[in-house]
Each structure stands twice: as structure tokens, then as C-alpha cells.
């Protein structure tokens, strides 16, 4: 019997586990892969997270994180926008970050099981029974869903968004290239955009969002990159003059930005499992960390003040919406300005002439220091 069982060992899952275990709760975390491993991710985190991470004795600089304080945006035709990032952020790979958080969780007395997945979750008599793929069964008072963008469990839970096909595909590489380490770039192309930013070890993360239609028309990732992405002159330069460090790219399909629910069948959702912001906003990792701070804090408060499960679920849903719903809405609508080649060029030209508007849009997709 555990106080909390966490499904998924990404940022939200690991942060929830560390906070709750440090507070004396008996926590178990299930991760289907084995650390360390790569994830499709922009690998940029807003500095709004730093005070909270410091409170957990986590300093990303010790793991090689790069400081980022400028933004570069290009349209498919090469129109370019530069601007400083007032709050700034840092770049660090999920390979390094998640692995070090995993070690931190182990040090914090979290039971971590890797290399197996959750097959079934049953709630009965105010207790969860969780069955793993190796047929082991665990019981817990609370379950946190932090398994990422989508999973087989979403179908079991009959989550409405899972039945709506998403056209988006994510592709990620690590590269070595000639680019200012303090910049994050967002290079647009037809029906997609590509982020570039420094991570640890003199490497850069190159991660792009595109559509199945782009991939289908091209026949392969390589042909799509050659014929669609590289029509943007900046992407052509990057692909032509960089050292690609992976044998093959990391790829994820069916990325959905549809609204989700923060609680499903009494499972408390955290991170991308509760709601995913569009990658062009650059705030997904910070949101995952913030959502874990919110949920773990409420779980501890509800235990201390003897809340009912219903009250905890209502309060968490309300506070999650207050923190993140507007950000997600702005992100979904902001994404509509990018992808169409002419509209993207017009948007970049407009933002170049109105830096205050650019700062306003960034502020609406980011939070304050927490």
C-alpha cells in the first residue's frame, strides 16, 4: 500500500514524487522506459521555475544547462525577427534532466520501477489497484497520471480527446552547429515550425512540429526535411552545415493540443497529461514543473486538513484552470498565425514593427516566477 502511485516518470511525475516523498509520503513511480533516455521535446525551460527548483535543491546549471536570453524567429521566406527575452530561460536535454531528477527521486526515498507499464487502474472502496504489464499489483490511496501527451491508458479512461485524430508529428535531433548559445530560434516552414537551442555539452536541440500530410506527401522524413523544411533558408543552412548526433531522429505521432481534464476517474492528471501547450510557446516544460508543484502541494494540504477526495479534486481542477487554461487557449490560437507561408511572413513582419505586442504574447503564454 502506497500513499501515492505516479504513472509516468517525466518532469511532472518526478517533481511530484520528489516533493511528496520529501514530505514523508510513501511514493511509488512507474516509468515504462529505463533511464536515461531521450524524449521528443523542445528542451527549453523558462526561468520562472528556478526559485521552486532551488527549494528542492535542484540547480540545472550543475548539470550543464545553457543560459538563454534572446529569441530569433524566421518566416519560411527568410524574414527574421530578433528580440531579448526579459525573463529568459535555460536549455537542458531531457536525457540529462530526467535522469538527474530520477536520481534525486531515489535519494528522496521514492520507489521507482522502470521498464514496465501500467495495464489497468481500478478505483474501488476509496483505494486504487494498479496492475503492471508484468502482472504485479500495487495499491495506493491516490494516483497521479503523468504519462505524457497520450497513452493506452487514455483509451481505458475513455478520455474524450483521444478519439479526435491529431494531424501533428514531432521530430527531434541533437546536433552540433554554429549558433549563439544564448539564443533560442523558431524557424517556420509550410505547416510547421522548428526550434533550435543550446543544451549541455556544446550540443543543440533541433526539434520540429509538422503534419502527417507533409510527411505523407514527401514519403520520408529525409525528403520532407529536404523539400519542405529547407525551403526556409535558415533551416537549409542548419541542415547543410551541422553534425547530427543521433543515428535516427526521435519521433512522436498524434500530438494533441485539445483541451483535457485535470481529473479523470479520480486520477489526478499532471503535466502534459492534464493539458499540453503548443511547442512554439516554449513553455511546456515550465508548465509541467508548475503543475507538479500545484498538485503535490494540494495533496499535502488536503492530507493535513483532512479534505474529502471530492474536495481535493474540485480544488485542483479549479486552480489548474486558473493557472493554465488561458495559456493553453492563447497557445492554440497563436499557433494559427504560423504554418501558412504567407500568413507566417505577415505575422513576423508585424511583430518586428511591434515589439510590445511580441512581449505581450510571450507574457500570455508564460507564468510569473513561482
Amino acid at each position: 500500500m502506497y500513499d501515492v502511485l505516479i504513472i509516468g516518470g517525466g518532469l511532472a511525475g518526478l517533481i511530484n514524487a520528489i516533493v511528496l516523498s520529501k514530505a514523508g509520503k510513501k511514493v511509488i513511480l512507474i516509468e515504462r522506459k529505463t533511464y536515461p533516455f531521450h524524449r521528443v521535446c523542445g528542451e527549453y525551460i523558462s526561468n520562472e521555475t528556478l526559485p521552486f527548483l532551488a527549494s528542492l535543491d535542484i540547480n540545472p546549471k550543475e548539470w550543464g544547462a545553457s543560459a538563454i536570453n534572446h529569441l530569433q524567429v524566421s518566416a519560411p521566406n527568410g524574414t527574421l525577427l530578433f528580440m531579448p527575452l526579459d525573463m529568459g530561460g535555460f536549455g537542458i536535454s531531457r536525457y540529462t534532466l530526467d535522469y538527474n531528477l530520477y536520481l534525486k527521486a531515489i535519494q528522496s526515498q521514492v520507489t521507482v520501477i522502470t521498464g514496465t507499464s501500467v495495464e489497468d487502474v481500478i478505483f474501488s472502496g476509496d483505494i486504487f489497484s494498479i496492475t503492471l504489464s508484468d502482472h504485479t499489483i500495487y495499491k495506493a490511496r491516490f494516483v497521479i497520471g503523468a504519462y505524457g501527451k497520450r497513452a493506452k491508458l487514455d483509451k481505458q479512461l475513455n478520455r474524450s480527446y483521444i478519439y479526435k485524430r491529431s494531424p501533428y508529428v514531432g521530430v527531434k535531433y541533437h546536433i552540433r552547429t554554429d549558433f549563439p548559445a544564448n539564443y533560442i530560434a523558431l524557424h517556420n516552414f509550410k505547416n510547421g515550425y522548428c526550434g533550435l537551442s543550446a543544451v549541455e555539452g556544446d550540443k543543440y536541440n533541433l526539434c520540429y512540429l509538422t503534419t502527417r500530410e507533409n510527411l505523407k506527401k514527401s514519403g520520408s522524413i529525409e525528403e520532407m526535411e529536404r523539400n519542405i523544411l529547407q525551403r526556409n533558408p535558415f533551416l537549409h543552412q542548419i541542415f547543410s552545415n551541422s553534425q547530427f548526433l543521433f543515428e535516427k531522429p526521435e519521433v512522436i505521432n498524434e500530438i494533441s493540443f485539445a483541451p483535457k481534464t485535470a481529473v479523470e476517474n479520480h486520477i489526478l492528471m499532471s503535466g502534459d497529461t492534464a493539458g499540453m501547450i503548443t511547442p512554439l510557446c516554449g513553455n511546456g516544460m515550465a508548465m509541467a514543473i508548475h503543475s507538479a508543484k500545484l498538485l503535490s502541494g494540494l495533496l499535502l494540504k488536503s492530507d493535513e486538513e483532512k479534505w474529502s477526495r471530492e474536495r481535493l479534486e474540485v480544488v485542483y481542477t479549479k486552480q489548474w484552470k486558473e493557472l493554465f487554461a488561458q495559456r493553453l487557449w492563447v497557445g492554440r490560437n497563436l499557433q494559427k498565425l504560423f504554418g501558412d507561408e504567407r500568413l507566417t511572413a505577415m505575422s513576423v513582419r508585424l511583430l518586428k514593427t511591434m515589439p510590445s505586442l511580441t512581449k505581450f504574447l510571450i507574457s500570455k503564454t508564460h507564468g510569473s516566477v513561482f
Side-chain angles (χ1 to χ4, degrees), residues 102-263:
Y102 156 70
L103 296 179
K104 189 84 172 175
I106 296 292
Q107 293 167 4
S108 303
Q109 306 303 312
V110 178
T111 300
V112 181
I113 298 178
T114 61
T116 188
S117 58
V118 172
E119 293 295 313
D120 195 21
V121 180
I122 296 174
F123 180 74
S124 178
D126 210 37
I127 294 293
F128 287 95
S129 295
I130 302 94
T131 305
L132 306 189
S133 55
D134 63 2
H135 307 298
T136 307
I137 298 175
Y138 293 94
K139 294 185 182 294
R141 291 176 57 215
F142 296 98
V143 170
I144 293 175
Y147 47 81
K149 300 169 181 64
R150 64 188 296 119
K152 182 169 63 176
L153 186 58
D154 288 320
K155 287 189 176 180
Q156 180 191 328
L157 295 172
N158 202 31
R159 302 186 80 188
S160 59
Y161 90 92
I162 201 75
Y163 300 104
K164 302 171 185 175
R165 293 296 304 274
S166 170
Y168 297 111
V169 177
V171 180
K172 173 188 139 175
Y173 300 92
H174 278 174
I175 65 174
R176 287 199 168 91
T177 194
D178 183 17
F179 186 72
N182 66 323
Y183 271 73
I184 183 170
L186 185 68
H187 297 304
N188 291 271
F189 55 89
K190 182 181 179 181
N191 297 325
Y193 46 85
C194 178
L196 175 69
S197 57
V199 292
E200 73 284 353
D202 298 319
K203 300 189 294 287
Y204 288 80
N205 180 54
L206 181 76
C207 190
Y208 64 85
L209 185 78
T210 186
T211 62
R212 280 196 310 273
E213 189 64 23
N214 269 357
L215 184 55
K216 183 178 178 181
K217 285 181 178 179
S218 301
S220 69
I221 287 177
E222 294 79 5
E223 285 299 312
M224 177 178 65
E225 290 169 350
R226 191 163 26 249
N227 298 326
I228 297 179
L229 275 72
Q230 293 187 52
R231 286 168 59 182
N232 180 314
F234 295 99
L235 287 175
H236 177 73
Q237 181 180 5
I238 292 166
F239 275 90
S240 301
N241 300 299
S242 302
Q243 177 189 4
F244 282 70
L245 304 176
F246 292 171
E247 289 186 11
K248 59 181 182 178
E250 295 286 325
V251 181
I252 186 170
N253 295 304
E254 293 276 351
I255 301 173
S256 175
F257 308 112
K260 301 175 182 177
T261 51
V263 180

